Amino acid sequence: MCDTYAPSGAPIASNKRHAAAKIFSHPDVVAEEPWYGIEQEYTLLQKDTNWPLGWPIGGFPGPQ
């Protein structure tokens, strides 16, 4: 989550903040109020087997 640049001053490929700053400074976007959210993932485990709930014991679920 930091700005990273090459010695030449150009942003490196993984510098996502540089691209975001360009987007958020656009006049159409400046007038908006951005919303941010945090996503948390979790897994429920079966108490007796300590395996994910709904999964076949020792295996993986089928394709969705």
Side-chain angles (χ1 to χ4, degrees):
M1 298 212 38
C2 60
D3 270 330
T4 49
Y5 295 88
S8 66
I12 65 172
S14 63
N15 184 348
K16 306 301 182 196
R17 290 184 67 163
H18 179 75
K22 284 175 118 181
I23 293 168
F24 282 107
S25 64
H26 189 278
D28 291 341
V29 178
V30 170
E32 299 293 327
E33 182 176 340
W35 288 20
Y36 298 93
I38 298 173
E39 180 180 329
Q40 181 176 351
E41 295 183 14
Y42 57 90
T43 303
L44 299 176
L45 301 177
Q46 298 178 45
K47 186 177 180 179
D48 54 339
T49 60
N50 203 30
W51 198 255
L53 187 63
W55 285 33
I57 302 298
F60 295 93
Q64 296 183 4

